[in-house]
Structure formats: C-alpha cells, structure tokens
C-alpha cells in the first residue's frame, strides 16, 4: 500500500492517530516554545501544519533537523493528528520528530546556490527560467492539478458518450491542415548535405519520404470514425508558426473528437456539452485551486465558469459577426486590423465579439472557404464552408472544427484547386470512395482550455515545459 497523501490526511478525523507527513517545507515559524512547519506535497493546494512543542522535550536529532530545515527542504514528520486551534484548518499534526530528507539552503553554500524559491512573490518571467522548480509554487501546483483534472474530465466525457480513444501518429507525411507550418523529421546528415551542395534525397531518408511532426490527428481520426462511429484523439501536436503570442505554442496537446453520421449542428452541440462537462468537473473537484485563481490571478473567474455552465452559447454566422465588427469600427471602435467580409478574424475581433457582443462563449459558423482548411464541407453558396469556431472572452478561439466534405468529387476538386497532390492523400480520399458518411469533428487546444479555466494570461505558464520559437529549455 502507498502511504496517504496530505489531501486525504486533511479529511481524517482528528483522533490522535499516529502518522507520517512527507513533503516539502513551505514555511517555518517559531513562537516561544512552538515551531510551526507548513508541509505541502502537491496533492492539494493546502499543506498541513506540523507543530513542534519544545516544552514537551524534542530529541536531539529533531532539534538539529528543525534548525537546518528551511523553505524547500524535504521532510518526513511523525506525530499525531489533532484538532487545529488555528483558523482555516480542521486538523494539524502534533509533531514528535522530523527527519530532514533533503536540505534546500537559504544562503549560498559551496557548490549549491541558495534555493531560488524563497517565500516571496516571483514574477512568472523569472519562474519560466526555473520551470523545473516552479511547480513547487502555489500557482504552478494549482495549474498542474487543474490541468490534470481537465484531462481526466475530457476522457470521462468522451468515454461516457460512446467515443473510443484512438492513438493517431505523431510522425506523418501529410499536412493535415494544409497550412505548411510543420517541423521536419529527418535522419539525413544536414551538415554533410550542406557541404555537398546537393539537394536532399528523401528516398534515402529514414522513412523513404519527407516526413514531419503532425499538426493534427484529424485525418487519421476520420479514418477511425468511418469504422468506429465516434472516436477522439488526444495527443501532442506541433506547429512551426513563428508567432510569439500569449496563445500560441510550438508543441501543444489537442483533443479531437470525430463523429460519423453527424452534421455541423451536431458538432456545435457536442462542443458546447463537452465544455460544460469539463467546467463542471473542475468547479466540483478543484474548488480550492479555483478559489486561488479567482483571488490571485483573474478576479471573477469562478462566477464566469459557473455562468457558462448554466447558459447557452451564442450562435452567429461569420457574415453576421463581420457585420457587427464593421458596425463597431464605424462607430469608433479602434481595431488594429480593419474588419471586412473575407478577413481572417484576429484575436482582437474574437475578443470584441465575445466580450462586447455575446457577453460569453460564442460559436461562429460558415466562414469563407479561403480562410479555412481544404477538408471542410462546402455550403450551397459555393463561398462559405461548414466551419465552426468556439470563441471565448479573454482568449478568442478555443475550439476549431467543421463538418467534413464527404463528396469525393467536391473534395478532389477543392484539393486540386488548392494545388494539393491528391495522390498523397489517396487513403484520405478512400473514405469518400467507400462507405462515405457525413461526419464532423473539432479540435480543442488543451492549453487554451487550461488558460480559460485558470485565468493564466500566458500559455507558456499552463504547460510544464513550453516550446515556442527560440525556447526549448529543459
Ligand atoms: O483550429 P485548428 O488549427 O484546427 C485543427 O487543427 C483541426 N484539425 C481540428 C479538428 O477539426 N479536428 O486547431 C484547433 C485548436 C484551436 O482552436 C486552438 O485551441 C488550438 O487547437 N491551437 C493551438 N493551441 C496552442 N498553440 C497553437 N499554436 C495552436 N494552434 C491551434
Ligand atoms: Mg482554428
């Protein structure tokens, strides 16, 4: 059996049972004969207070450990679980002895610089430089727990609705979004190639052809949805967009459900139900962490999440959204990018629509085909496609999806028109050759979801080790 973590110790009755607390010291305070040590093990936001009473006589080992023990040190503390006289906690440990497992010096000592996370506020920029230690802070511990709970809620939702989890490949020869922002994967000797002056011969490369890291598992998910009816992928995806924003990463985790016999309206309902399910799960199970985000990171985030769970998402076509934006621009709202029909919506537009027009999440549909991917189903007007984006205040796009083109003719024509080689996508077109069905799906970036739920401003602070242009430390 594994020993119980602090999360479960805090729920026990204070019946003087003997137990051991294991974790890392957050603070040590001394008052007269008492030494208070706050220990956190990351199992929940709170730590447990361990109180040493010198008037009871502590053994020499414990006295020595208490002297050496500082913020960040790892400890094992034995004692009895008793009612806590302090406010804000029901129980504490009447500590009898402590074993200092590992020191964390507060001052520089030979060979070891002082532990960088002293009890004071550190900037997120500074913490990004010590990403291997930042998870020991309140904020990053809470982000990690919320991210974990969201991940579990995502699986719960899909598994509970008949979706099967499929593992789509990371290395691929196809560009799923047709946008070309891919990282190449090769074992060719680039230095030798550069010296030789020759063009690379991909036939001699590891996979026998030019391969990249995937930008989306959608195309392969479609193949499985065309047999298992409802599937989802959930894995890392990679984009070599050189955009240095607070919403973009080069490596992020994407959830992509795909449903057979489903149209855009079904996709929209799925997205809304899905988001509400995961919000309800964190509201229920991450109360303490969310209360922290509400008071320290983004005021009102709790009320926002609750109201989103209880209200209906606004539906709007792209065309109507652009009308709203043009109206706003005409009445003096200053957009950096002028809105017009056909423009790709910028995040300032998406924020305006959700913050000023819908006052909450909005699902925009029927975008111009020129700004959307090749696989989206064409509308009867020949100009727009059955696309949907879910937009939220503060962030803009959180989900992108569509009904897929299920007609072989239409899809082949569209791909050829875009200059894509249909031979490279033969397997994808086979889905339209054999037993084609209307089908739809979407992609949600996990990090955008974590940002939305926690209120964290920068996407680099909601993934353990962010990868972005010029950044691949740890
Ligand atoms: O809108 P996107 O590009 O859609 C797709 O990839 C489709 N294949 C999804 C599908 O229909 N199966 O990306 C989907 C979502 C975005 O809405 C956003 O949340 C997230 O992925 N995303 C990113 N997150 C972080 N960093 C980036 N560079 C992202 N690019 C997209
Ligand atoms: Mg998108």
């Amino acid at each position: 059996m594994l020993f119980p973590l602090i999360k479960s110790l805090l729920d026990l009755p204070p019946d003087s049972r003997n137990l051991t607390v294991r974790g890392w010291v957050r603070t040590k305070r001394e008052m007269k004969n008492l030494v208070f040590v706050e220990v956190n093990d990351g199992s929940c936001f709170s730590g447990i207070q361990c109180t040493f009473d010198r008037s009871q006589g502590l053994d020499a080992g414990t006295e020595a450990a208490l002297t050496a023990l500082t913020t960040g040190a790892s400890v094992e503390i034995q004692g009895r679980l008793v009612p806590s006289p302090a406010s804000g906690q029901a129980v504490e440990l009447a500590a009898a002895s402590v074993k200092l497992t590992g020191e964390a010096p507060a001052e520089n000592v030979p060979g070891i610089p002082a532990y960088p996370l002293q009890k004071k506020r550190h900037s997120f920029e500074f913490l990004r430089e010590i990403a291997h230690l930042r998870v020991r802070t309140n904020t990053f511990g809470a982000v990690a727990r919320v991210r974990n709970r969201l991940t579990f809620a995502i699986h719960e939702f899909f598994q509970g609705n008949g979706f099967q989890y499929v593992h789509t490949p990371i290395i691929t020869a196809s560009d799923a979004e047709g946008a070309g922002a891919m990282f190449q994967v090769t074992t060719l000797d680039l230095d030798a190639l550069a010296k030789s002056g020759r063009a690379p011969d991909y036939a001699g490369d590891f996979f026998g052809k030019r391969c990249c890291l995937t930008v989306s598992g959608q195309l392969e998910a479609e193949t499985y949805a065309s047999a298992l009816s409802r599937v989802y992928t959930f894995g890392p995806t990679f984009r070599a967009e050189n955009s240095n924003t607070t919403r973009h990463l080069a490596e992020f985790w994407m959830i992509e459900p795909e449903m057979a016999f489903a149209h855009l309206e079904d996709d929209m309902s799925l997205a809304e139900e899905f988001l509400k399910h995961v919000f309800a799960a964190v509201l229920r199970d991450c109360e303490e962490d969310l209360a922290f985000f509400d008071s320290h990171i983004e005021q009102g985030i709790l009320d926002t999440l609750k109201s989103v769970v209880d209200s209906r998402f606004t539906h709007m076509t792209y065309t109507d959204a652009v009308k709203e934006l043009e109206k706003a621009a005409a009445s003096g709202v200053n957009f950096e990018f002028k809105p017009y029909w056909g423009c790709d919506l910028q995040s300032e537009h998406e924020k305006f629509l959700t913050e000023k027009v819908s006052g909450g999440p909005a699902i925009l549909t029927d975008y111009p085909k020129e700004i959307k991917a090749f696989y989206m189903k064409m509308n009867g007007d020949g100009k727009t496609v059955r696309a949907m984006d879910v937009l939220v205040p503060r962030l803009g796009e959180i989900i992108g999806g569509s009904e897929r083109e299920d007609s072989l003719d239409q899809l082949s024509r569209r791909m050829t028109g875009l200059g894509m080689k249909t031979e490279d996508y033969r397997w994808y077109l086979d889905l339209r050759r054999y037993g084609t069905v209307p089908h739809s799906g979407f992609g949600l970036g996990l990090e955008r979801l974590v940002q939305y739920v926690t209120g964290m401003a920068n996407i680099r602070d909601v993934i353990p080790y962010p990868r972005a242009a010029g950044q691949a430390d740890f």
Side-chain angles (χ1 to χ4, degrees):
M1 248 324 257
L2 299 174
F3 63 84
L5 297 172
I6 290 173
K7 182 180 166 64
S8 48
L9 298 185
L10 291 174
D11 284 337
L12 292 174
D15 53 8
S16 283
R17 72 182 71 193
N18 274 305
L19 41 85
T20 305
V21 165
R22 298 162 175 89
W24 293 267
V25 173
R26 280 295 174 81
T27 54
K28 179 179 77 173
R29 286 179 301 124
E30 305 202 18
M31 225 172 67
K32 294 183 185 148
N33 279 327
L34 301 177
V35 185
F36 302 103
V37 179
E38 174 88 7
V39 179
N40 184 287
D41 69 359
S43 59
C44 58
F45 189 88
S46 296
I48 189 166
Q49 174 160 293
C50 304
T51 306
F52 296 83
D53 185 352
R54 287 191 163 121
S55 68
Q56 304 286 312
L58 299 174
D59 64 61
T62 292
E63 276 296 354
L66 279 178
T67 309
L69 170 165
T70 49
T71 296
S74 49
V75 290
E76 294 184 37
I77 301 180
Q78 281 190 318
R80 289 176 300 106
L81 196 67
V82 298
S84 177
S87 69
Q89 58 199 20
V91 297
E92 65 174 51
L93 199 74
S97 66
V98 54
K99 186 174 139 206
L100 182 56
T101 316
E103 292 184 31
E107 311 284 342
N108 294 344
V109 296
I112 306 180
Y115 180 59
L117 293 176
Q118 294 306 323
K119 180 95 191 145
K120 62 167 186 168
R121 267 200 177 224
H122 301 284
S123 74
F124 289 151
E125 288 74 23
F126 167 71
L127 291 173
R128 244 168 259 149
E129 288 167 20
I130 50 165
H132 58 303
L133 297 173
R134 68 178 178 170
V135 67
R136 300 185 188 194
T137 63
N138 279 337
T139 304
F140 288 88
V143 166
R145 281 184 298 274
V146 168
R147 186 178 166 114
N148 166 69
R149 186 63 188 92
L150 285 169
T151 299
F152 188 45
I154 288 162
H155 284 294
E156 272 171 350
F157 176 82
F158 288 120
Q159 295 290 331
N161 283 289
F163 287 75
Q164 310 202 48
Y165 183 25
V166 298
H167 300 102
T168 50
I170 302 287
I171 298 174
T172 176
S174 33
D175 181 352
E177 289 299 298
M182 300 181 84
F183 291 102
Q184 200 173 333
V185 177
T186 182
T187 52
L188 293 176
D189 183 339
L190 298 182
D191 293 331
L193 202 60
K195 279 186 205 129
S196 78
R198 282 197 313 269
D201 171 19
Y202 291 115
D205 199 355
F206 189 89
F207 298 105
K209 57 166 95 166
R210 190 174 179 278
C211 278
C212 289
L213 296 177
T214 191
V215 293
S216 155
Q218 178 194 322
L219 306 191
E220 291 89 353
E222 283 183 56
T223 66
Y224 267 59
S226 302
L228 303 182
S229 292
R230 291 182 198 156
V231 300
Y232 65 108
T233 74
F234 185 174
T237 46
F238 306 87
R239 301 214 176 163
E241 308 158 333
N242 204 345
S243 42
N244 193 4
T245 77
T246 55
R247 315 180 312 137
H248 289 88
L249 289 166
E251 176 179 295
F252 63 99
W253 286 69
M254 185 150 57
I255 297 96
E256 295 181 276
E258 194 69 33
M259 303 181 279
F261 299 99
H263 299 279
L264 186 66
E265 293 68 24
D266 306 305
D267 208 28
M268 293 162 73
S269 319
L270 181 76
E272 181 166 345
E273 275 174 48
F274 165 64
L275 288 176
K276 287 178 175 175
H277 173 92
V278 300
F279 295 157
V282 283
L283 280 168
R284 190 179 57 239
D285 296 340
C286 300
E287 236 186 309
E288 226 185 340
D289 292 320
L290 290 187
F292 170 79
F293 290 118
D294 196 64
S295 61
H296 284 75
I297 303 291
E298 173 77 27
Q299 255 183 22
I301 189 87
L302 265 174
D303 284 342
T304 302
L305 287 175
K306 284 181 195 149
S307 82
V308 167
V309 170
D310 294 329
S311 57
R312 304 213 35 189
F313 290 13
T314 301
H315 293 183
M316 210 189 296
T317 62
Y318 167 90
T319 302
D320 285 343
V322 169
K323 281 186 196 146
E324 289 287 349
L325 293 168
E326 286 173 332
K327 205 166 75 189
S331 69
V333 175
N334 212 346
F335 293 119
E336 190 185 337
F337 297 89
K338 189 174 180 287
Y340 59 92
W341 198 94
C343 76
D344 203 353
L345 296 185
Q346 302 294 322
S347 89
E348 57 172 345
H349 302 142
E350 297 174 337
K351 282 189 207 162
F352 180 86
L353 290 167
T354 49
E355 290 166 13
K356 305 283 188 257
V357 180
S358 63
I363 310 186
L364 261 58
T365 58
D366 304 292
Y367 283 72
K369 64 175 191 294
E370 288 76 15
I371 57 170
K372 288 293 180 189
F374 68 94
Y375 50 71
M376 297 192 181
K377 189 174 175 65
M378 191 71 73
N379 273 317
D381 62 10
K383 285 193 250 169
T384 58
V385 287
R386 305 247 73 197
M388 65 145 199
D389 276 6
V390 180
L391 315 180
V392 293
R394 249 182 25 242
L395 285 177
E397 177 187 343
I398 188 166
I399 282 181
S402 72
E403 181 166 344
R404 320 305 188 189
E405 186 55 75
D406 53 334
S407 142
L408 178 63
D409 272 2
Q410 285 274 15
L411 185 56
S412 312
R413 221 174 307 131
R414 182 92 203 280
M415 292 174 75
T416 312
L418 289 168
M420 296 171 72
K421 288 196 210 125
T422 47
E423 328 66 279
D424 292 351
Y425 292 83
R426 188 182 38 79
W427 58 274
Y428 185 64
L429 290 165
D430 269 356
L431 300 181
R432 282 76 181 168
R433 290 190 182 99
Y434 311 120
T436 191
V437 283
H439 61 289
S440 304
F442 63 75
L444 163 78
L446 177 66
E447 289 72 21
R448 298 247 177 113
L449 180 71
V450 181
Q451 270 191 289
Y452 183 66
V453 167
T454 59
M456 293 293 285
N458 195 320
I459 198 164
R460 296 175 198 209
D461 296 332
V462 297
I463 187 166
Y465 298 104
R467 268 80 181 96
Q471 185 179 33
D473 298 325
F474 308 98

